Amino acid sequence: MLSLKEKDRPIIRKLLAAGCCARCVLRFCCMGTSSSYKQSYEDIQKELLEFIGEENSQQSHDASGHTEDPPNKRIKMEDAISTDDSVASEEPKTDLDICPVCLGVLQDFCNQTFVKQVSDAVKKEQYVLESLVLTVSLPAQLSVREQSCWLHVKQEVRDKSMCLGKDDVIQVKDAFKWAIQGKIGQELGAAVLASSPFEVGVGFAHPQTEEDCHFLATTCPDCFKPTKNKASIFTRMAVVKALEKISDENFKRRYPCPPKKPSSKCTALDTTCLHTSVFTAGRYNKYSRELPQTPWVIDGERRMDGSVEELIAAPLLSSFRADGFNFSSSGREDVDVRTLGTGRPFAVELLNPHRVKFNKTEIKKLQETINQSSDKIRVRDLQIVTREATSRMKEGEEEKTKSYSALIWTEKAVSNTDLEFLENMKNLKIAQKTPLRVLHRRPLAVRQRVIHSISTTYLDTHHFTLKLCTQAGTYIKEFVHGDFGRTKPNLCDLMKTDADILELDVESVDIDWPPAIPD
Amino acid sequence: MEDRKTPSVIDRYFTRWYRTDLKGKAREDHCILQHSNRICVITLAESHPILQNGRKIKNINYQISDGCSRLKNKVSGKSKRGGQFLTEFAPLCRITCTDEKEYTIFSCIRGRLLEVNEAILDRPELLLEKPSTEGYIAVILPKFEESKSITEGLLTREQYEEVHSKRTNQQEPSLVQLAL
Ligand SMILES: [Zn+2]
């Protein structure tokens, strides 16, 4: 039952006479009960007419001589027809009877047929769903028509209650959602939740009335500046902004009130589905000196096969059935550097995943799949995390320590005792100019870094292993060869010989995230 | 394990380019080390007169005119805003030797000046002892779209060595001058 008030009568009468659909009538009566919009179109219409009819019969008894037109003959005829068979046709309108305010959105797209059409489109994508939220995109000109209709009944709506204004009119968007989203949820077996991570998007277009907006370009040229990415300057946002600026009188002069009836209804755009990203995290080892962390492309050409991120992401993409991914990690290593020890923390954002729930065993199995796919990398501690948690990976990156092991060549022959002084160096402060090898993409600066401790293993007269524990962000290769003297002091300075780094391994990245997962 | 190390840092990441007899001055050869990321390091070529006959350096001056000092060069941000833009024959510095001979070192390529080597001001011996590494003169970033074309007029290592070996068969230019 619709809870219509006495003061709704003039509004209803005026709107029906203007050809408005039943749900738009409810909207302008500021009917805030969502269940009202769920009723079949026919039932709402019937109730409205009965409500008006009551008044009419009252009026006919009334001898006051009130001579307003009865609410138009066509409606009466329809009423007569529809009462005959309410089951056969849920939407008993011809194409000539399109609502001039919602352009049919609340008439022809709130029925079971459309629910089925949207649900089938979602089902085709094979999401594993628990809940959903509906988003609606409407043609921009609906705002113009809404304004026109508002001006048409403004006085009557204000008479209903002192405090009602345009904002109290229920928006087409909300009415549409109230009417249909519960049914879509039912059809898909998913709860409807405003906070759902899964969005079903429906949209409508009505090319025939696009010109409705054009007069606004002359009243508010500032609102319609051409932008690069938009096909039309008449975006919904711009139209709404222009409508806020135009005076009622000016609007009425330039646009008919109530709006003119269209000869066709809106067309529904393709249903879109989008699940918010899911984040996974873990730690990886890299055992190859010929594997970049991310695809290595120079001048549009790929330089090396494979990459850490692709090896990790491929099994994730297929299990989560995601459309794409973003890989991030706590620092990165060069192509020729291995990452050993407990590995480097990483996170993978999975875009539009079609499946998001995995239990611990399934995640464990997924980790095994990654590890079996290649012997160049190994992943541990794989887990699903929140978006917020991934920021802990980057937090305090600078303060953390990293341990390295490097194979060093010296020009001068050295003995075991020549290396001893290095072991005694604690918290050695060095100044590094941005290395030449990254200077093309990073600002030029001098950064102070600390090498907390050094240890060595003598190999032969020209080679030894150098182990360093450093502040994160220290460039190790440059500390060894000096980078044209741009890192000071460097190993060449300390040892008073030319020296070079032949191999480098990351031994540990001391960040306690993500948490370890016991086997 | 082998005693001699395989490719040096320069061999691994840089390509050596040369410009000989700069501004028509005999043997004033420059070397341009171009990194694979397009950054260029300007150094003296080993055949440059400053590095011959045990010459010593008296003074290095980055003030190339009254209004322009390369020491005042400042770049900011990833895009290196504010760096002096250099053309091929822009002077980088003037080096005076103890024999009062003065030499001008040139940019050799078009690009934005990122830095000059201030360490050689305090320790000019770096320039003599390690001319191709710690004794570098300047770092220049060519425009992205010019990173290929800037080396077009330069000599490769082989071409440079060819020029160099032809010269050793000739007399020192100063002797030629004396004979005239
Ligand atoms: Zn409507």
Side-chain angles (χ1 to χ4, degrees):
Chain A
M1 272 303 290
L2 305 169
S3 50
L4 295 164
K5 303 274 178 344
E6 193 54 37
K7 280 188 171 168
D8 288 322
R9 280 183 215 278
I11 306 172
I12 299 172
R13 201 188 307 128
K14 211 167 172 184
L15 289 171
L16 288 177
C20 283
C21 75
R23 288 193 181 92
C24 281
V25 171
L26 294 188
R27 292 195 303 112
F28 280 91
C29 290
C30 305
M31 176 76 75
T33 331
S34 62
S35 57
S36 307
Y37 297 85
K38 274 186 211 160
Q39 299 179 43
S40 77
Y41 184 83
E42 184 183 55
D43 285 350
I44 303 170
Q45 195 178 40
K46 204 169 135 194
E47 272 197 58
L48 285 177
L49 291 171
E50 275 169 11
F51 185 69
I52 298 291
E54 270 169 40
E55 186 211 36
N56 283 342
S57 56
Q58 274 168 18
Q59 251 179 23
S60 59
H61 292 298
D62 188 349
S64 68
H66 188 72
T67 53
E68 191 149 347
D69 286 340
N72 128 13
K73 284 171 190 160
R74 185 173 44 74
I75 292 172
K76 280 198 164 172
M77 276 171 60
E78 254 180 28
D79 190 27
I81 297 163
S82 59
T83 43
D84 281 350
D85 56 349
S86 53
V87 188
S89 60
E90 201 188 0
E91 307 282 326
K93 293 172 288 3
T94 65
D95 255 11
L96 290 168
D97 196 21
I98 310 298
C99 172
V101 184
C102 67
L103 299 174
V105 169
L106 297 177
Q107 285 176 300
D108 280 315
F109 297 97
C110 293
N111 54 20
Q112 200 53 38
T113 315
F114 191 62
V115 166
K116 188 93 173 49
Q117 186 186 322
V118 171
S119 304
D120 285 349
V122 178
K123 280 179 190 165
K124 227 172 103 190
E125 298 284 321
Q126 298 192 311
Y127 283 89
V128 183
L129 286 182
E130 285 187 348
S131 66
L132 64 86
V133 61
L134 192 66
T135 63
V136 190
S137 126
L138 299 169
Q141 62 269 31
L142 277 201
S143 301
V144 176
R145 289 176 169 263
E146 187 84 356
Q147 177 81 358
S148 155
C149 190
W150 162 248
L151 295 178
H152 184 57
V153 293
K154 187 176 172 179
Q155 198 50 55
E156 286 80 358
V157 175
R158 290 237 166 112
D159 286 348
K160 186 182 160 184
S161 162
M162 287 302 287
C163 54
L164 287 180
K166 197 192 174 201
D167 291 345
D168 296 296
V169 170
I170 305 301
Q171 292 191 17
V172 175
K173 215 174 245 192
D174 292 327
F176 179 75
K177 284 188 201 169
W178 288 342
I180 201 174
Q181 72 178 357
K183 291 174 189 167
I184 294 173
Q186 260 171 15
E187 192 72 29
L188 293 168
V192 176
L193 277 181
S195 61
S196 172
F198 182 66
E199 241 180 54
V200 175
V202 299
F204 297 95
H206 199 259
Q208 187 203 339
T209 54
E210 262 167 22
E211 285 180 8
D212 283 355
C213 305
H214 291 188
F215 75 97
L216 291 169
T218 57
T219 67
C220 181
D222 283 357
C223 297
F224 302 97
K225 298 253 169 66
T227 50
K228 273 181 227 163
N229 304 321
K230 300 281 181 198
S232 163
I233 54 167
F234 296 99
T235 62
R236 205 175 160 77
M237 291 276 282
V239 167
V240 167
K241 208 170 135 199
L243 287 172
E244 277 167 11
K245 294 194 174 176
I246 190 170
S247 71
D248 291 355
E249 292 66 37
N250 198 4
F251 184 94
K252 280 184 189 163
R253 259 204 311 277
R254 290 160 187 271
Y255 194 84
C257 287
K260 279 200 187 114
K261 297 204 93 183
S263 61
S264 66
K265 61 185 180 189
C266 279
T267 51
L269 305 174
D270 287 343
T271 301
T272 58
C273 299
L274 184 66
H275 197 293
T276 53
S277 296
V278 164
F279 291 79
T280 58
R283 290 161 182 275
Y284 73 80
N285 291 125
K286 171 174 166 312
Y287 299 119
S288 168
R289 296 195 190 282
E290 278 150 9
L291 183 70
Q293 195 207 40
T294 51
W296 196 13
V297 179
I298 300 175
D299 295 339
E301 255 179 67
R302 236 188 129 128
R303 287 303 162 98
M304 273 187 184
D305 271 346
S307 66
V308 172
E309 65 161 45
E310 287 165 292
L311 288 172
I312 294 174
L316 293 176
L317 278 177
S318 66
S319 293
F320 285 79
R321 290 190 282 125
D323 289 352
F325 71 91
N326 289 314
F327 184 90
S328 58
S329 63
S330 175
R332 57 191 300 166
E333 63 281 302
D334 292 343
V335 177
D336 56 354
V337 174
R338 299 188 302 176
T339 296
L340 310 175
T342 56
R344 184 186 295 279
F346 70 89
V348 181
E349 174 182 9
L350 294 155
L351 306 170
N352 195 12
H354 287 47
R355 181 189 164 187
V356 296
K357 287 269 191 283
F358 290 82
N359 63 30
K360 282 183 178 157
T361 319
E362 288 168 326
I363 293 287
K364 196 99 218 163
K365 229 177 135 199
L366 190 45
Q367 178 172 299
E368 276 164 34
T369 308
I370 296 170
N371 290 340
Q372 276 157 16
S373 72
S374 168
D375 51 11
K376 293 177 177 174
I377 60 148
R378 198 185 138 74
V379 167
R380 78 187 70 208
D381 303 336
L382 189 69
Q383 54 198 281
I384 294 177
V385 298
T386 62
R387 176 192 288 271
E388 292 71 38
T390 60
S391 65
R392 294 188 42 194
M393 194 171 67
K394 301 274 180 187
E395 258 168 40
E397 219 175 29
E398 297 271 296
E399 290 83 62
K400 303 290 176 175
T401 61
K402 294 195 180 183
S403 304
Y404 297 90
S405 174
L407 175 60
I408 306 297
W409 167 89
T410 58
E411 186 180 44
K412 199 171 74 180
V414 292
S415 68
N416 207 347
T417 50
D418 292 330
L419 302 174
E420 275 170 14
F421 80 102
L422 289 172
E423 309 246 351
N424 296 327
M425 294 191 143
K426 293 282 177 264
N427 294 320
L428 172 70
K429 288 192 178 62
I430 62 169
Q432 294 201 298
K433 274 190 191 155
T434 307
L436 291 175
R437 72 185 153 96
V438 299
L439 187 56
H440 61 301
R441 54 184 166 87
R442 303 228 173 118
L444 176 60
V446 184
R447 294 181 184 82
Q448 308 298 322
R449 292 285 183 258
V450 178
I451 296 178
H452 299 295
S453 61
I454 302 177
S455 69
T456 58
T457 308
Y458 177 83
L459 296 174
D460 63 40
T461 49
H462 290 280
H463 298 89
F464 68 94
T465 304
L466 178 73
K467 295 209 171 200
L468 302 170
C469 176
T470 73
Q471 181 183 357
T474 308
Y475 292 104
I476 306 303
K477 289 175 178 173
E478 282 70 20
F479 168 67
V480 173
H481 60 62
D483 196 27
F484 293 73
R486 298 169 76 259
T487 287
K488 284 281 172 184
N490 53 58
L491 192 67
C492 304
D493 296 332
L494 298 173
M495 297 189 67
K496 299 186 176 66
T497 172
D498 197 5
D500 200 359
I501 183 164
L502 305 184
E503 285 175 3
L504 178 61
D505 294 330
V506 178
E507 295 284 354
S508 76
V509 181
D510 302 328
I511 288 179
D512 56 3
W513 190 89
I517 304 277
D519 281 320
Chain B
M1 225 169 273
E2 81 266 54
D3 270 1
R4 289 236 55 87
K5 64 163 179 172
T6 35
S8 70
V9 170
I10 292 177
D11 296 328
R12 286 205 297 271
Y13 306 114
F14 293 84
T15 308
R16 292 176 163 91
W17 298 96
Y18 294 86
R19 205 178 261 283
T20 53
D21 307 317
L22 236 96
K23 289 267 195 171
K25 293 190 177 163
R27 306 197 177 203
E28 292 194 19
D29 307 333
H30 290 44
C31 175
I32 301 97
L33 300 172
Q34 187 176 34
H35 195 280
S36 52
N37 68 14
R38 90 175 188 272
I39 279 180
C40 292
V41 180
I42 310 302
T43 76
L44 298 184
E46 50 265 56
S47 51
H48 196 284
I50 294 176
L51 306 176
Q52 315 307 317
N53 310 326
R55 282 198 172 89
K56 292 264 184 298
I57 292 169
K58 184 181 162 193
N59 178 256
I60 299 172
N61 190 359
Y62 281 115
Q63 180 90 39
I64 47 104
S65 70
D66 287 346
C68 182
S69 168
R70 301 303 182 199
L71 292 173
K72 296 235 169 76
N73 190 68
K74 283 258 178 330
V75 292
S76 66
K78 285 181 189 172
S79 57
K80 317 294 185 298
R81 285 180 308 276
Q84 298 171 6
F85 195 83
L86 307 171
T87 55
E88 286 167 67
F89 292 109
L92 292 171
C93 66
R94 296 184 217 288
I95 301 177
T96 315
C97 292
T98 45
D99 58 8
E100 295 304 327
K101 280 213 169 78
E102 189 191 83
Y103 301 91
T104 302
I105 314 302
F106 294 94
S107 162
C108 301
I109 53 158
R110 286 165 53 79
R112 196 178 290 280
L113 182 63
L114 299 189
E115 65 181 46
V116 293
N117 187 1
E118 294 182 36
I120 55 175
L121 296 176
D122 296 332
R123 297 174 59 200
E125 68 274 14
L126 285 176
L127 192 57
L128 304 175
E129 290 161 9
K130 297 177 174 177
S132 62
T133 56
E134 278 196 63
Y136 73 98
I137 304 293
V139 179
I140 296 172
L141 178 65
K143 285 184 183 172
F144 183 79
E145 60 274 23
E146 292 181 353
S147 55
K148 294 261 183 332
S149 62
I150 47 145
T151 55
E152 271 167 13
L154 304 178
L155 303 184
T156 63
R157 177 82 185 169
E158 290 72 41
Q159 290 167 326
Y160 165 73
E161 276 168 359
E162 208 172 297
V163 169
H164 193 52
S165 66
K166 270 185 193 160
R167 277 182 194 156
T168 43
N169 300 328
Q170 296 165 3
Q171 286 178 298
E172 270 241 26
S174 54
L175 296 178
V176 176
Q177 275 168 10
L178 281 175
L180 292 170

